[in-house]
Every structure is written in structure tokens, then in C-alpha cells.
Amino acid sequence: MSIKSTILGFPRMGSDRQLKKLVEGFWTGKATEQELVEGSKKLRADHWALQKTHGLSEVPVGDFSYYDHVLDTAFAVGIIPDRYKQLDTAGTQAYFAMARGLQDKSIGVDVPSLEMKKWFDTNYHYMVPEIADGQKFVLHSTKVIDEFNEAKALGYAARPVVLGPVSLLALSKTAKGSSSKPLDHLANLIPIYVQLLSQLATAGAEWVQLDEPVLALDLDSHIYKPAFEQAYGEFAKVSGLKYLLTSYFDRLGDNLELAAALPVHGIHLDLVRGVADLDKALEIVPQEKVISAGLINGRNIWKANLEKQLAILTKIVGARKSVWVSSSCSLLHSPHSLRPEAGHLDDETLGWLSFAEEKVEEVATLAAAVSNPDSAKAQLEANAAKVASRKQSERITRPHVQQRLAALDRSFYNRKAEFTHRQQLQHASLKLPVFPTTTIGSFPQTAEVRKARAQFRKGTLSKAEYQEFLDSETRKCIEWQDEVGLDVLVHGEFERTDMVEFFGEHLEGFVFTKKGWVQSYGSRCVKPPVIYGDVSRPHAMTVDVARFAQSCSANKPVKGMLTGPVTILQWSFVRDDQPRSQTAGQIALAIRDEVVDLEKAGIKVIQVDEPAIREGLPLRKADYDAYLKWSVDVFRLATTGVNNETQIHTHFCYSDFNEIFTAIKSLDADVITIENSKSDLKLLGALEVHGYSAEIGPGLYDIHSPRVPSVEEMAARFAALQKYIPAENLWANPDCGLKTRGWPEVKQSLANLVAVAADARASYAARKASA
């Protein structure tokens, strides 16, 4: 049997983050739009060539994006909110304004970006389309058709990738001032999809990949079953096209019967996270339909156990007429290639790993192993040896770490007193004003900071010289915060490249790649560390920096800044040979030791960030309780070793918090700072439903946009918050860290924020005086 080998998508950024440089060059005026277009075209061609060279029989197209594929789809079908229609919608101006916001006094434009949310349970962020009452849809962009024609002209067998209409609307939100639900607009959207699909058929496409990832969620069948049937019933009328229906990140579960019955020609199964679907799928998916077997993990970096995956594939081939081999999901979530890591990682570790390029090879090897077993014999033997090497390595296990975690009792998970008592002691100790101001942690990583770091790593700047530079930057940062009037300061994190990588570099059980970059949002890339073994802290990680930073301020507290165990776990590539909860517990003990040492060093406010705690929530509600139990436990394990006077902060961002607000309360943090500005104050709904008795700082402005928020804009937001949150519990702060912003916009934005808090204090004092 000849089996098609393919993947659901490929990383966009390039082997050396070429797309990041192209896009940022365009934003700063260093590159023209034509240079952006041509550079991106070359990058796509390079990626298709790589996939073909490594043995794929068909390449996906349309998975490329300047910023985000959900934004691309919304833009393509004309979901462009009115505030952007004053801009050039034919080129990239309106598109990037929707992504980043645009503030340009020369043309009288000041528009915020769309809301940003996490893409299911990944660290990728998508832009949330806004659907207004009376929404008009139009085929506004032919991007996917153009890219299909590019690939076709280069001689590739190509499959266009399109985000399906049901998922597009399910991931959208109702525009402010509108009352209709996004899915109410499906009937009007379907003809635009039909138009797009018809043009793809005319262009010569044989197959189209329709991504419907919401099929991995718990869906109301009364709403979604007719929605899918309506849309795909119309798509079936387009002559000359075959459809591969894809979902990923979890099992289809109770949606499998719906997917199997739709008039499509193939069903993709995520057989890494959804292998439980397989037996039923083999039973109910009609024989004339292709089964696309997602056997290679698109979300982790460990070399696949090809012997194990081949056994699953053989089972499928024995039961089906037509089978494809693929990645479990798009390889967007994997680094580009292992090639730059040769000579950087040790040979043993290198042999355990597989990035996007290597995963393409694994897909092709599985297909070859069925089609022509002798042709894949050498690759399978080499793979088996590497899998065995990892399993047998003595570097993986540290008995003292496992013994310490196993010996804990429940006393390690509780503070010494309840919050109300702690709050009294903390207010007496810190002496902060009402509506205290702070930031989330990082300050701009300027070109000078990056240059000094690069020089230090190359050896052209000595350790002493680099430390002197960092001390100078820290001192200047704290002095400016003091001068502008912030109440609780931060040191700026100039020594850190990344909030997870920094801690991994100081913990045992981690290794670090040279160019293992993964897209997080837009042009922002992260380089996740790799957790290969048991985790422990051999020495203090932040105490010296925190002690120095506190010495730079005469009378204001400076926060100790740590990343929490769940976020370190979520934003790393995690070992898959033990439960994630066990690895998280090991990390929590390391952070606990650091928290205790910070307190001993005189740090009175310690922030343990958990922006990824919502991201880790399973997609299926049946799996929620187990995850929330251990994720709350590991945060408490990390933070409960201090005295009542020490104020513990945490931070969350860019997620729907309603589903986990009870868990957030259970963390027992003294202060939480939480994203709020991009989500139209949706947090207020959670507060109204669930209540919150501890202190809280909902973000007053979006830091992912370069625009500077006005005093009036933030004041209106802060006034709304005061209706729900008692004055003694309310903080003023940005949405997130300021690492990616420039100093001029940061200074003006924070000056405005401090002014908002000052005005609020004056009004509060006046109200108290008149009461």
C-alpha cells in the first residue's frame, strides 16, 4: 500500500527567525512592504523545499502568516471592525493595526488592537475576531489561493489549509455594543467560504484541509451539530474538491460521530493526545474516507518511538483502504531544526530530540516503513537505539529529589494564617497608599541590553563588566520608577532573556537549545528550555539581584521576581516519561527554596508569576478537576514557606478566567495582577459571579501594543473596577511585563497610570471626608 505522508502545518519563522526580522523591519520602516512580501515568498519556498526533500508527498500551504492565522482568516472573509476601515485595508496597514493597534498622530489615528487569547492549551496567542450585528462578509483576501498558486508554480503537490467556519466563529467574540452571537452569522459566512473553495478548485487544488479544532472541545450538540451540517453540506456542492477535516490537541470523543458523518473525504485523528478515538474511528468512519493518522507529536521535541507508532499505523492500514501519515497537529509549536544544535548540545541529548525538520523525516519514515519496509529499516533501527538511550540514561533520575517530594505532608501547602490576618500585618509593614501602583516585572530590553548580553556570551565583555552594566541598568530603572511615583518597584529583569529560560539555566534537570525558537504571538518568539530529568535547585537564583535592587530604593519595596512552577512547566518542553504533575512538584520545591531565601534577604514582596495556569487547563471538562488540584497544590507548595508579613503576588494574562476563578482564589495569594484591558473588562463578570476577597490589580492598559493609553482611557477603566473591588484591595498596574516595549512609550504610559491612581486617591479621600 502506498501511503501519503504530510503534515498539518510548518513553523513560519524560519531557521534563523527570518520572518521576525522581516516583519519588525517593516514595522520600523527599515524594510518596504515589497521587501516583506518578497522575503516571505522566499521563506515559504524554502519551507516547501525542505518538506519535499525529506520525503513528504504533499505540503500544506496557507499555514504561513505575517502575524496569526486566525487573524488572516478573519481578514480574508471581511471581518474588519469599523474602527479599522479608515485605514488601508487593501495592503497591510489595517491588518497590522488589528494585530498591534495603531497610534499615528500624523494621520489622526489611535486604534487599539483586537483582543488576544491563548490558542487552546498552547503558548501560541491568536487575535480574537469581533463579530458585529449586521456583519457583512466578503472575500477580502485571496492569500491562501495565492500561496497555493506559488507552490503549484514551483512544482509541489500542495494542500491548502483553511480554518473552518464553525471554529472561526466559535473562537470569535461579539463586538462591543452588539447582541448577536458569532455563530448566529454562520449562514451569511458560508457563501464566502464556498466562493473561496470554488476558487481553490478552479486553481487546481485537489484536497483542502479544513481545520475545525473546536471539535476537540465539549460542544453543545444542539448548537454545533446543525452548524457543522449546514456548512459542510454546502461545501459538498463545490465540485472538484476533496476535504480533509482536521482537529487536534485532544480526542474527538463524543464529537467523533458528528465528524465521521459529515460529507468530507478524510478525517484527521490526533493519535498522540487522542489515541482513545482510534478503535471507534476505525469502526464508524466510512471506508471510502481517508484516515489521516497524526502519529508524530507536533507539540513536544522528543524523538518519536517509531516502533510504537508503526504498530498503531499497521493496525490502521490493516483496517482501512486509504491512510495518510501526518503530524498530530501543525508543527507551528515545534522549533525549526536540530541542525544548529550540533556542537551546542551534547551528542546524547541531541539524539533524544526531534524538531520540525526531523519530525518531517519521522512522518516520511513511518510512511516508508509500511509502503516499503526495507527502505526504512536503517532509520527504524537508529531510532530504536536513541529511544533506548534516553530510557536507560542515568542523567534522568535524582533519587533525593523524588524522595523529598514523596515525603511532603499537607502542612507544606498552607500559609501560617488566613488572608485577612496576613493583610493587616502586610499593610502595617509596607505602609502603601490606597490604590498602590506597580508593574508586572520586566522593563524594556533595549538594544544596549541585548548588545551587552551578546558581548558577555562571546567573551568580549568580562563577567565583572557585564555585572557592572546590569547593576547600572537596574539602578537607573529603580530610580526612574521612584521618580515617576510608582509604589512597589521592580528591578527590570535586565539579566533575563526569558522568564522561564532564566530559571531553567539555574536549575538541574534542564538543557537549553541554541536556536529552538517557537512563535508565541506575532513576531514574538520564545526559546523553551528542555526538561529532561528530575529538577532541583543547586543554589540561589535571584537573591543577590533582589538584594542589590532593594538597596537602590531608600523607602519603597522592590519585588522579588520569580516564575511559578506551572508556567515553567507549560513554557518548557517537558519530559514525557513521568506525570507532568510530578515534574511540576519538583519545580515547586525549587521555587519554594528561592522564596524562603528571598524573605531571609529582606525582600518583603515576592511575585511568583503564573500566566500559564489557565493555558494548562485540559480541553475537556471531565479532565479539569485533576489538573486544577495539582496546579493549585504546586503553586501553594512554592509560596507557603514564608511568614505572614511577606506579601505574595502572582500574575495571570490573556485567557478566559471564568472557568478557573475558583482555582485562582484557592491559590491563596495576597495580591494577583491579571490581564484585563484587551478583554473589555470581562474580568468584572468573573468578580461578580465568584467574588474575590484578596487584593487584585486588573491591568489598565495593553502592553502588547505600542500605543500610549491616555489618562482618561485608564481612568474610565479604573472607575469601573472600583464598583466591584474595595479600595483597600485594588491595585493599579499594566496588563503584563514591559520587556517588548520601548522606553519612551513605557515612561509616558506609566506616568499616565500613576496620574490615574493619584486622581483616584484624591477622589477616595474626598468621599471619605464627606461620609
Side-chain angles (χ1 to χ4, degrees), residues 145-199:
I145 303 168
D146 299 338
E147 292 178 10
F148 172 76
N149 286 328
E150 281 179 30
K152 183 180 175 183
L154 293 171
Y156 298 111
R159 182 184 69 258
V161 178
V162 179
L163 179 62
V166 180
S167 289
L168 174 64
L169 293 178
L171 295 167
S172 299
K173 72 175 187 177
T174 300
K176 194 172 183 179
S178 294
S179 59
S180 58
K181 296 178 180 178
L183 211 55
D184 295 340
H185 299 266
L186 179 62
N188 293 327
L189 177 60
I190 289 171
I192 308 306
Y193 267 80
V194 169
Q195 184 182 353
L196 174 63
L197 295 170
S198 297
Q199 291 189 25

Side-chain angles (χ1 to χ4, degrees), residues 676-677 681 699-701 712-722:
N676 173 65
S677 68
L681 298 174
L700 294 186
Y701 76 92
E712 293 76 16
E713 176 185 331
M714 287 192 282
R717 206 166 268 140
F718 203 56
L721 293 166
Q722 290 175 62

Side-chain angles (χ1 to χ4, degrees), residues 293-584:
L295 289 165
I296 300 302
N297 193 341
R299 292 186 53 174
N300 214 327
I301 45 69
W302 302 110
K303 193 177 293 296
N305 184 332
L306 293 184
E307 181 181 0
K308 177 182 176 182
Q309 299 308 84
L310 181 58
I312 297 173
L313 179 59
T314 302
K315 176 180 178 178
I316 300 170
V317 168
R320 305 297 300 184
K321 293 180 180 179
S322 185
V323 180
W324 297 1
V325 184
S326 184
S327 54
S328 62
C329 60
S330 171
L331 300 184
L332 171 68
H333 311 287
S334 296
H336 186 91
S337 173
L338 274 177
R339 283 181 291 172
E341 310 305 326
H344 173 75
L345 294 174
D346 64 273
D347 289 344
E348 182 181 46
T349 303
L350 195 66
W352 298 343
L353 304 180
S354 177
F355 290 177
E357 182 175 355
E358 292 72 34
K359 289 176 186 296
V360 168
E361 293 178 328
E362 290 178 336
V363 168
T365 297
L366 284 176
V370 172
S371 303
N372 182 4
D374 289 342
S375 69
K377 184 178 179 181
Q379 292 95 318
L380 291 173
E381 289 176 351
N383 172 267
K386 298 299 184 184
V387 169
S389 164
R390 180 177 167 222
K391 187 175 182 179
Q392 298 162 6
S393 175
E394 296 181 356
R395 296 166 55 199
I396 304 295
T397 303
R398 295 179 174 85
H400 71 282
V401 175
Q402 298 188 4
Q403 291 162 9
R404 184 186 179 193
L405 186 63
L408 299 177
D409 60 45
R410 291 308 301 176
S411 67
F412 283 84
Y413 298 88
N414 297 303
R415 293 289 294 268
K416 296 175 181 177
E418 297 298 316
F419 167 74
T420 52
H421 180 63
R422 300 198 309 264
Q423 186 180 39
Q424 293 175 6
L425 296 174
Q426 291 162 15
H427 283 190
S429 173
L430 296 172
K431 298 179 174 61
L432 298 174
V434 67
F435 306 133
T437 56
T438 190
T439 64
I440 305 306
S442 60
F443 268 74
Q445 294 257 328
T446 62
E448 291 76 16
V449 171
R450 294 193 298 272
K451 179 180 177 182
R453 182 183 299 127
Q455 289 176 331
F456 171 63
R457 288 180 170 176
K458 291 177 181 177
T460 57
L461 196 67
S462 70
K463 183 176 181 180
E465 290 170 328
Y466 183 51
Q467 189 60 55
E468 183 179 355
F469 170 82
L470 292 175
D471 288 349
S472 175
E473 292 296 304
T474 301
R475 185 180 294 107
K476 286 187 294 184
C477 181
I478 288 177
E479 289 174 350
W480 181 83
Q481 293 173 74
D482 208 348
E483 177 185 334
V484 81
L486 288 166
D487 300 305
V488 176
L489 315 182
V490 298
H491 75 282
E493 303 181 11
F494 303 108
E495 79 284 8
R496 305 181 189 182
T497 55
D498 176 84
M499 65 183 290
V500 171
E501 183 179 48
F502 172 83
F503 290 98
E505 288 173 341
H506 291 80
L507 295 170
E508 292 181 337
F510 286 75
V511 292
F512 301 87
T513 63
K514 182 179 181 181
K515 292 191 176 182
W517 297 102
V518 178
Q519 185 180 14
S520 178
Y521 65 88
S523 65
R524 166 82 170 138
C525 298
V526 293
K527 188 154 60 71
V530 177
I531 304 177
Y532 71 88
D534 288 337
V535 177
S536 62
R537 186 193 76 142
H539 51 73
M541 301 178 284
T542 66
V543 173
D544 288 345
V545 171
R547 187 186 288 115
F548 171 78
Q550 185 61 72
S551 74
C552 295
S553 177
N555 56 9
K556 291 183 178 179
V558 179
K559 288 192 278 191
M561 296 299 305
L562 305 174
T563 302
V566 177
T567 297
I568 291 177
L569 185 86
Q570 284 296 128
W571 293 358
S572 298
F573 290 120
V574 184
R575 58 188 294 192
D576 57 0
D577 59 341
Q578 71 177 16
R580 291 172 69 86
S581 57
Q582 186 171 339
T583 302

Side-chain angles (χ1 to χ4, degrees), residues 105-295:
K105 294 179 181 179
S106 67
I107 58 174
V109 172
D110 184 3
V111 291
S113 69
L114 297 174
E115 181 184 351
M116 178 190 290
K117 285 176 64 175
K118 291 292 180 71
W119 178 245
F120 295 84
D121 59 346
T122 75
N123 189 31
Y124 178 81
H125 302 67
Y126 75 95
M127 308 309 298
V128 182
E130 297 175 9
I131 311 291
D133 291 344
Q135 178 74 53
K136 302 295 184 184
F137 299 103
V138 61
L139 188 56
H140 181 75
S141 164
T142 57
K143 171 185 175 294
V144 67
I145 303 168
D146 299 338
E147 292 178 10
F148 172 76
N149 286 328
E150 281 179 30
K152 183 180 175 183
L154 293 171
Y156 298 111
R159 182 184 69 258
V161 178
V162 179
L163 179 62
V166 180
S167 289
L168 174 64
L169 293 178
L171 295 167
S172 299
K173 72 175 187 177
T174 300
K176 194 172 183 179
S178 294
S179 59
S180 58
K181 296 178 180 178
L183 211 55
D184 295 340
H185 299 266
L186 179 62
N188 293 327
L189 177 60
I190 289 171
I192 308 306
Y193 267 80
V194 169
Q195 184 182 353
L196 174 63
L197 295 170
S198 297
Q199 291 189 25
L200 283 169
T202 300
E206 178 186 4
W207 282 88
V208 173
Q209 175 181 318
L210 289 166
D211 285 358
E212 292 284 8
V214 297
L215 285 167
L217 304 178
D218 295 315
L219 300 178
D220 184 336
S221 61
H222 295 96
I223 296 173
Y224 282 91
K225 184 174 185 290
F228 275 106
E229 290 173 345
Q230 180 184 9
Y232 284 79
E234 291 300 313
F235 297 169
K237 298 175 184 177
V238 178
S239 62
L241 273 188
K242 297 178 182 178
Y243 303 117
L244 176 69
L245 179 68
T246 65
S247 185
Y248 31 79
F249 300 151
D250 209 325
R251 58 197 181 274
L252 286 166
D254 52 2
N255 298 321
L256 178 57
E257 289 185 8
L258 168 61
L262 290 174
V264 297
H265 305 82
I267 303 289
H268 175 79
L269 302 176
D270 180 341
L271 295 178
V272 174
R273 291 191 161 203
V275 71
D277 285 334
L278 180 57
D279 288 343
K280 186 174 182 180
L282 293 178
E283 176 186 341
I284 70 171
V285 175
Q287 272 289 344
E288 66 270 15
K289 294 185 180 182
V290 168
I291 287 214
S292 168
L295 289 165

Side-chain angles (χ1 to χ4, degrees), residues 591-612:
I591 299 300
R592 181 187 181 93
D593 293 343
E594 189 73 10
V595 168
V596 169
D597 283 350
L598 283 169
E599 183 185 60
K600 289 177 182 177
I603 306 303
K604 297 180 178 180
V605 181
I606 302 171
Q607 182 168 311
V608 181
D609 285 340
E610 284 291 16

